[in-house]
Amino acid sequence: MTHSLSAILSLSPSYFSNFLSFSEASTMALECSASQLAGLLGPNSTEAANFICNQFDTVASKFSDTAYAVDSTYLLFSAYLVFSMQLGFAMLCAGSVRAKNTMNIMLTNVLDAATGGLFYYLFGFAFAFGAPSNGFIGRHFFGLRDVPTSTYDYSYFLYQWAFAIAAAGITSGSIAERTQFVAYLIYSSFLTGFVYPVVSHWFWSGDGWASATNSDLLFGSGVIDFAGSGVVHMVGGIAGLWGALIEGPRIGRFDHSGRSIALRGHSATLVVLGTFLLWFGWYGFNPGSFTKILSPYESGNYYGQWSAVGRTAVTTTIAGCTAALTTLFGKRILSGHWNATDVCNGLLGGFAAITSGCSVVEPWAAVICGFVAAVVLISCNKLAEKVKFDDPLEAAQLHGGCGAWGIIFTALFATEKYVNEVYPGKPGRPHGLFMGGGGKLLAAHLIQILVIIGWVSATMGPLFFILHKLKLLRISAEDEMAGMDLTRHGGFAYAYDDDESHKHAFQLKKIEPNHTTPPSV
């Protein structure tokens, strides 16, 4: 070692006292005492310095271990939050459909997670992050082979899997109440195992051709889609768009003259419950996308990545709240009602939009993001009615339309300071157009919108079309009218009467119609 004893002893007493207090409070097994050093001081200064430095090396290793543990715990906690969004999706979908299809839609949400887990493990993670690879698709880590590495640990896989099944959950809402069960299994496997992973490789992998962390950046900026307005929401929304278009609207959704008829969900309670669960999970979705929290921007300062994590949670909240209020008053003007379901969808539209730029915009900009997201959602719903497009959860409009707006919003309002902090290593890189960063980031983001629409259309569109031609996509008219819970799942989700009620009903049937009172015993 090159350390000298004089350099070690020149450190202030307060430094040693702080260090020792930390050591005593921790579980580090350091054996460094005056009695140990007594025999080494004096003429043996080199040995003393080496001994002391060895102890500091041990401390440094412990600090490094702690940093890995803290960041891994943060990522796992974020993964758990994102996974809890599956329960939110299930409740939101269940409340948004009619009671006769509740069992069906909840089962599809469960199988989105289960099927997605298996296929993302076998193929999806490798296609998304298997490095080294080309710019189009990953080529390593199939079945998590060779994981963990210095770059990817198991916690990272779990976090990314939660994102993949979220995209599948979005699509299931668009084709609810009329889709065969086998079609859910096929499209969910294909989406989580191939379609979504390829898109996430393009924009999130260090090897991706449009990634903001790629050394050869698109237009010198790459695409800043921090938590996936495009990668997750647009992919799920565009896939749902094609599924709903090819299937056609539900029976009774439009009358013979083409007039829209509302087929309302059976439980606003479940819709609100699902919305709050999704809101809660979004704090893992957006802030968690940092993947680590113990990164100081200025060492020894109060400001660091933990501050950026907090700011991201704030921008997420503000965008959602603004979108909810805008939708509330907007729908009141258009329909004359204060509708809870519409407000919930507006809230989620604000979240979907802010997801792209949540880490690189100021909180005031989130207000603009949420306001425009609500306008986009209301406009897309009006357009859907005009073209007779039926999406029971407004998923294609919400996630596709608001997701696309979120990508554009980021290209307009990303601040230079935050972009350089979140994506370090390339000073002077382009940022938001309205923040003085030029138009390169906007150009990159417009390309992202186009390639996502093109890729998902070229993959999921033919899949749904083939399923339709094979008569594996839509259920029969008789099954749709009766409800899939009864015809496909063995009974309704709700038990309306118990055995005693059945017995009582049976006894009443035995009474003759002309009896005004039950016969005497």
Side-chain angles (χ1 to χ4, degrees):
M1 293 188 180
T2 60
H3 304 285
S4 67
L5 181 61
S6 59
I8 298 295
L9 296 179
S10 65
L11 296 172
S12 66
S14 62
Y15 179 92
F16 282 101
S17 63
N18 291 336
F19 164 70
L20 291 175
S21 64
F22 176 84
S23 299
E24 292 167 358
S26 68
T27 58
M28 300 178 187
L30 296 177
E31 298 180 359
C32 185
S33 64
S35 60
Q36 289 176 310
L37 293 173
L40 298 174
L41 294 174
N44 299 317
S45 59
T46 300
E47 289 81 355
N50 287 337
F51 182 85
I52 294 172
C53 289
N54 284 334
Q55 299 304 310
F56 275 98
D57 288 342
T58 302
V59 172
S61 296
K62 293 296 182 181
F63 273 122
S64 180
D65 295 344
T66 302
Y68 281 124
V70 169
D71 287 338
S72 182
T73 301
Y74 174 72
L75 185 57
L76 283 172
F77 177 71
S78 298
Y80 306 151
L81 285 177
V82 177
F83 179 70
S84 73
M85 296 176 77
Q86 290 303 117
L87 178 57
F89 279 125
M91 296 300 98
L92 180 69
C93 290
S96 299
V97 302
R98 290 164 290 182
K100 61 184 180 181
N101 295 311
T102 306
M103 182 80 76
N104 173 265
I105 197 65
M106 288 196 294
L107 183 56
T108 60
N109 274 271
V110 173
L111 289 177
D112 278 340
T115 305
L118 183 61
F119 279 84
Y120 197 73
Y121 159 73
L122 292 173
F123 310 107
F125 187 75
F127 289 147
F129 298 103
S133 67
N134 55 51
F136 178 76
I137 193 170
R139 297 180 294 181
H140 299 279
F141 306 149
F142 291 97
L144 292 186
R145 183 178 179 180
D146 299 326
V147 173
T149 69
S150 59
T151 306
Y152 301 122
D153 204 342
Y154 293 107
S155 54
Y156 192 79
F157 162 80
L158 192 74
Y159 186 66
Q160 294 298 336
W161 159 72
F163 271 66
I165 60 176
I170 291 168
T171 306
S172 66
S174 295
I175 57 178
E177 295 204 281
R178 60 206 190 275
T179 305
Q180 291 193 47
F181 193 66
V182 65
Y184 279 111
L185 294 175
I186 293 172
Y187 97 78
S188 182
S189 303
F190 188 56
L191 185 66
T192 56
F194 180 66
V195 178
Y196 166 82
V198 169
V199 176
S200 59
H201 179 80
W202 293 348
F203 302 111
W204 286 348
S205 170
D207 296 324
W209 62 270
S211 172
T213 58
N214 192 326
S215 57
D216 185 18
L217 299 177
L218 176 67
F219 294 128
S221 67
V223 169
I224 299 177
D225 189 4
F226 184 71
S229 288
V231 174
V232 179
H233 295 285
M234 276 197 68
V235 168
I238 298 301
L241 173 69
W242 281 105
L245 279 175
I246 292 172
E247 277 193 306
R250 292 166 291 173
I251 296 175
R253 179 66 177 86
F254 301 96
D255 64 16
H256 294 296
S257 63
R259 184 172 59 91
S260 173
I261 299 174
L263 300 179
R264 299 191 181 279
H266 79 282
S267 176
T269 302
L270 290 178
V271 170
V272 173
L273 174 62
T275 299
F276 274 111
L277 286 169
L278 287 168
W279 189 340
F280 177 65
W282 234 291
Y283 291 127
F285 205 93
N286 287 5
S289 291
F290 281 95
T291 70
K292 58 183 179 180
I293 193 170
L294 196 59
S295 297
Y297 294 145
E298 298 176 20
S299 185
N301 195 289
Y302 67 89
Y303 182 72
Q305 191 141 294
W306 48 87
S307 302
V309 168
R311 183 184 66 249
T312 299
V314 169
T315 56
T316 300
T317 303
I318 292 175
C321 293
T322 304
L325 292 174
T326 305
T327 305
L328 174 69
F329 291 104
K331 295 294 289 187
R332 177 70 172 84
I333 294 171
L334 293 173
S335 67
H337 301 291
W338 306 101
N339 192 298
T341 302
D342 288 337
V343 172
C344 288
N345 281 340
L347 177 82
L348 298 177
F351 287 152
I354 195 64
T355 295
S356 173
C358 53
S359 65
V360 294
V361 299
E362 293 283 0
W364 61 262
V367 176
I368 300 173
C369 178
F371 176 82
V372 177
V375 175
V376 168
L377 178 59
I378 294 173
S379 301
C380 287
N381 286 333
K382 285 294 182 182
L383 177 62
E385 287 187 10
K386 287 185 178 297
V387 299
K388 299 181 179 60
F389 174 77
D390 181 24
D391 184 329
L393 274 92
E394 302 176 6
Q397 302 94 296
L398 193 160
H399 298 278
C402 294
W405 154 242
I407 294 169
I408 295 172
F409 162 78
T410 305
L412 299 177
F413 290 95
T415 64
E416 182 178 14
K417 175 184 177 183
Y418 297 152
V419 168
N420 289 330
E421 287 175 349
V422 177
Y423 299 97
K426 190 176 178 61
R429 64 190 298 160
H431 51 282
L433 175 63
F434 291 168
M435 309 304 290
K440 290 185 177 181
L441 184 61
L442 178 60
H445 283 210
L446 290 175
I447 287 177
Q448 181 192 17
I449 293 174
L450 292 176
V451 296
I452 288 177
I453 293 174
W455 171 252
V456 179
S457 298
T459 51
M460 296 301 296
L463 175 65
F464 282 122
F465 183 76
I466 292 171
L467 292 175
H468 173 68
K469 287 298 183 181
L470 294 176
K471 300 187 183 304
L472 296 175
L473 186 58
R474 184 157 184 162
I475 60 175
S476 66
E478 293 78 12
D479 286 354
E480 186 175 345
M481 295 298 293
M484 284 187 285
D485 286 3
L486 182 63
T487 62
R488 299 299 178 101
H489 302 289
F492 295 112
Y494 303 100
Y496 293 102
D497 23 53
D498 55 20
D499 292 339
E500 292 300 320
S501 299
H502 283 297
K503 291 178 182 177
H504 181 63
F506 178 74
Q507 291 172 353
L508 290 177
K509 288 180 182 178
K510 296 172 67 176
I511 300 174
E512 294 296 331
N514 60 345
H515 283 300
T516 57
T517 59
S520 59
V521 179

